[in-house]
Amino acid sequence: MTGVLDRFLRYVQYDTKSDERSPSCPSTASQLVLLRDLAAELRALGVEDAAMDEYGYVMATIPATTVKRAVPTIGLIAHVDTSPEMPGAGVKPIVHRAYDGRDLVLPDDPAVVLRLAEIPALADQIGHDIITASGTTLLGADDKAGVAEIVTAAAHLAAHPEIPHGAIRIAFPPDEEIGRGTEHFDVERFGARCAYTLDGGSRGEIETESFSADAITATFHGFNTHPGYAKGTMVNAIKAAAAFVTLLPADSLSPETTDGHDGFLHPYVVQAGVERTSVRLLVRDFATARLREKEALVERLAREAVARFPGARVEFAVEESYRNMKEMLDRHPEVADHAREAIRRAGLEPRTHPIRGGTDGSRLSFMGLPTPNLFAGEHNFHSRLEWGSAQDMEKAVEVIVNLGKIREEGN
Ligand SMILES: [Zn+2]
């Protein structure tokens, strides 16, 4: 499993920040530099068909070594972009060898310190090698850890043809961080029965549940007129919308008051005018049916608010964002079962917790490719405090190799 740390340190030095304002795919040309190099690296390892398509997606096949004919193809996926919210150029990775619980002070901004007391996950890392950035940028372990693990597993399998496995497909998409990592993902061309994103946290984790997500826009209509002569005619949509926001539950059903399996309503954008004011809300729940209940609550409260402003009215538009991948994964229980077995064979205890967000896997699962998320050893995403663990990355490589073996044994 050697090489994963070296690859990781190399990849994080590529600036691959995505940009939601850009209409192109990939959203930034800088992502293409890493994508092109990854395709070349895979080919040099003997993964001969590795190629980048017109949208920047790199796909490749580790050919089957098994003599069995019916072994289904599995897929491995990791995104190359990093969060647009944080500087991602000029990353200077630092390896803190044999972590012993000490404060890790990042030299380019000594105010940025990783403290065991503040980061509980560090307690599992005593004796491990921790990688951080230098204090002024993110690290990019999200998701270059996953990329390094997949390339290292490919190198290991290419060097060990005696390990029996079916065909394994690899995909490195751009633009996951801006929600567009599956926009041009050709599931049919990928041709796998199931896939695994390597884009998670601590060793042993497998994620099979994500939010189901909608966005709802409540548009309040009023009537505008010259404010000096408005008596009896003006209807102010801003006031109706404000009354609605005030009626939303504050102590519950909010991002700032929920965790675990609880969903929420989250007003996050208001466009205001007297004639017309729209409020956009995120609706989140693990049960898709409960999204409908939350949307019904939004409608009820908005109508209640509007009733206080004679002449005002409100209309609603609901857009589906993504769905809980569990609904799809439950139809293919072997996909997560194999991952848990692969984790156990790497000497780890599989652990599951719900993702309070969506992943590329949430969308891919509904595009016909059941795709849970596996640990990659990434922590403190999208932050200057981002860190990774070299030993967890090595374990992730082991898990990938085990997945190939387990799929083969079962057929
Ligand atoms: Zn990620």
Side-chain angles (χ1 to χ4, degrees), residues 83-299:
S83 169
E85 292 162 45
M86 290 295 293
V91 172
K92 290 186 272 174
I94 300 169
V95 182
H96 308 264
R97 299 273 174 202
Y99 175 64
D100 57 4
R102 63 191 182 269
D103 285 358
L104 302 177
V105 182
L106 307 193
D108 290 344
D109 182 353
V112 182
V113 183
L114 284 82
R115 290 189 182 86
L116 182 57
E118 291 161 9
I119 304 173
L122 280 173
D124 291 334
Q125 300 292 342
I126 303 297
H128 288 184
D129 302 324
I130 304 293
I131 306 101
T132 66
S134 61
T136 52
T137 66
L138 51 61
L139 173 62
D142 174 12
D143 185 21
K144 286 161 182 168
V147 175
E149 289 152 11
I150 292 170
V151 176
T152 305
H156 183 81
L157 291 171
H160 294 277
E162 73 281 7
I163 299 174
H165 61 82
I168 299 173
R169 289 282 277 160
I170 293 171
F172 296 132
D175 291 339
E176 190 264 1
E177 297 290 0
I178 55 173
R180 297 188 338 218
T182 58
E183 212 161 80
H184 297 285
F185 197 110
D186 188 338
V187 168
E188 202 157 319
R189 182 164 75 87
F190 193 52
R193 181 80 61 87
C194 66
Y196 301 89
T197 48
L198 282 115
D199 196 12
S202 299
R203 61 186 180 278
E205 280 177 9
I206 163 172
E207 294 169 320
T208 57
E209 263 190 283
S210 64
F211 270 146
S212 281
D214 283 347
I216 182 165
T217 306
T219 305
F220 296 82
H221 297 272
F223 188 80
N224 201 5
T225 178
H226 189 292
Y229 307 93
K231 188 173 184 186
T233 49
M234 180 186 279
V235 182
N236 193 334
I238 296 175
K239 290 183 179 172
F244 159 66
V245 172
T246 311
L247 288 173
L248 288 170
D251 301 333
S252 61
L253 291 181
S254 303
E256 60 272 34
T257 58
T258 52
D259 58 10
H261 273 96
D262 294 330
F264 55 73
L265 288 169
H266 177 44
Y268 73 107
V269 176
V270 177
Q271 278 178 320
V274 174
E275 182 83 9
R276 190 172 182 275
T277 293
S278 66
V279 182
R280 248 179 102 73
L281 301 100
L282 303 181
V283 189
R284 298 288 185 266
D285 206 294
F286 286 92
T288 302
R290 284 206 299 269
L291 288 180
R292 306 275 136 67
E293 290 170 24
K294 291 187 168 60
E295 285 152 12
L297 177 64
V298 166
E299 294 201 20

Side-chain angles (χ1 to χ4, degrees), residues 372-387:
N373 187 36
L374 301 180
F375 75 94
E378 317 161 5
H379 297 272
N380 289 0
F381 302 173
H382 309 181
S383 161
R384 290 188 288 154
L385 288 171
E386 191 183 6
W387 57 279

